[in-house]
């Protein structure tokens, strides 16, 4: 078995992103903050922006539904960089090891096209990737099969004859792993850099030391 490329998810693998990083400052009470993020600025709402909805439209629509929470809603994207706490050192170290070993690397991330440039401009390790498929740019989103096909097509620009079983996909979210495997990709659910490194070694990727 030969693995010819590794595909990385970003949030939870390379980046520590969470609305709680911002909203701990805005709603100190844990229960109230969790209620707000479960009820108003929900993950499902954020996912629509990751799938391509404009941030201004999303904010305007939610404010109309919950006018009593206008400042808190407007902070979600107005202060979005404060949700991106920074890189996850273990995941970035793994990425850089593979890059140094000249393994072709690609990104496949659920991310708004309007906020992704902030990450690109501020985190140079993203230059390790030959190409990055950003859901908001494609108006497709994991775990839907079409975004994996888009990623495969983009990888084939670099590796024209690569087959799904020659790819490894690393993601922290179980449904995304299930979707990748259903399409014939190898997939690793990321829990820690050490566990992911071990599973890559089992696939013949990396230095056995």
């Amino acid at each position: 078995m030969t693995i010819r490329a590794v595909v990385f998810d970003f949030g939870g693998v390379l980046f520590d992103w969470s609305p709680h990083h911002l909203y701990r400052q805005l709603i100190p009470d844990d229960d109230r903050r969790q209620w707000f993020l479960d009820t108003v600025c929900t993950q499902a709402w954020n996912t629509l922006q990751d799938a391509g909805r404009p941030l201004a439209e999303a904010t305007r629509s939610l404010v109309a539904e919950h006018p009593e929470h206008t400042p808190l809603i407007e902070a979600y994207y107005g202060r979005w960089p404060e949700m991106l706490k920074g890189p996850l050192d273990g995941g970035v170290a793994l990425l850089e090891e593979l890059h140094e070993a000249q393994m072709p690397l690609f990104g496949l991330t659920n991310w708004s096209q309007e906020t992704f440039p902030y990450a690109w401009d501020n985190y140079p390790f993203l230059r390790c990737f030959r190409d990055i498929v950003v859901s908001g740019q494609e108006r497709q989103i994991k775990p839907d099969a079409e975004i994996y096909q888009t990623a495969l097509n983009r990888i084939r620009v670099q590796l024209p004859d690569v087959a799904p079983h020659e790819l490894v996909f690393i993601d922290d979210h179980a449904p995304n792993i299930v979707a990748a495997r259903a399409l014939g990709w190898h997939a690793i659910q990321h829990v820690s850099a050490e566990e992911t490194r071990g599973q890559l070694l089992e696939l013949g990727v990396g230095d056995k030391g």
Side-chain angles (χ1 to χ4, degrees):
M1 175 175 57
T2 300
I3 299 300
R4 297 180 57 197
V6 178
V7 183
F8 278 80
D9 168 48
F10 287 3
V13 180
L14 300 176
F15 287 101
D16 179 5
W17 175 87
S18 172
H20 286 274
H21 296 323
L22 167 62
Y23 282 94
R24 283 191 189 97
Q25 304 172 53
L26 303 178
I27 311 175
D29 181 80
D30 292 344
D31 291 338
R32 287 187 60 236
R33 181 176 63 255
Q34 192 63 58
W35 176 89
F36 178 80
L37 294 174
D38 287 344
T39 308
V40 183
C41 288
T42 66
Q43 183 56 46
W45 172 74
N46 179 67
T47 296
L48 294 174
Q49 287 69 265
D50 286 351
R53 183 165 70 164
L55 304 187
E57 176 187 324
T59 300
R60 186 167 55 248
S61 174
L62 200 60
V63 164
E65 291 180 38
H66 302 280
E68 71 278 16
H69 296 299
T70 295
L72 291 172
I73 293 168
E74 291 178 341
Y76 196 97
Y77 292 114
R79 296 175 61 176
W80 182 89
E82 294 175 63
M83 299 185 195
L84 193 62
K85 189 173 183 180
L88 293 168
D89 292 340
V92 173
L94 179 57
L95 173 77
E96 292 176 339
E97 288 168 20
L98 294 172
H99 180 62
E100 290 174 10
Q102 299 186 330
M103 171 61 70
L105 301 172
F106 297 86
L108 174 55
T109 180
N110 283 354
W111 204 305
S112 164
Q113 65 176 333
E114 294 179 65
T115 57
F116 183 73
Y118 176 87
W120 180 259
D121 290 343
N122 286 279
Y123 294 95
F125 65 80
L126 293 177
R127 305 311 191 271
C128 292
F129 292 104
R130 296 191 179 193
D131 196 4
I132 300 170
V133 172
V134 178
S135 63
Q137 294 173 354
E138 304 301 326
R139 296 185 177 273
Q140 302 170 348
I141 196 159
K142 298 178 290 184
D144 295 345
E146 62 181 352
I147 196 169
Y148 294 88
Q149 187 59 50
T150 294
L152 179 58
N153 292 342
R154 295 261 289 270
I155 293 167
R156 283 175 171 162
V157 172
Q158 304 277 340
L159 305 170
D161 58 346
V162 72
H165 69 268
E166 295 176 311
L167 304 174
V168 182
F169 178 51
I170 300 169
D171 194 300
D172 65 319
H173 192 46
N176 299 337
I177 294 297
V178 171
R181 288 174 178 163
L183 296 169
W185 299 31
H186 294 282
I188 296 171
Q189 185 171 359
H190 184 80
V191 177
S192 70
E194 292 73 20
E195 290 185 33
T196 295
R197 184 179 285 104
Q199 292 185 61
L200 285 169
L201 286 172
E202 291 176 6
L203 292 169
V205 178
D207 184 3
K208 297 179 174 60

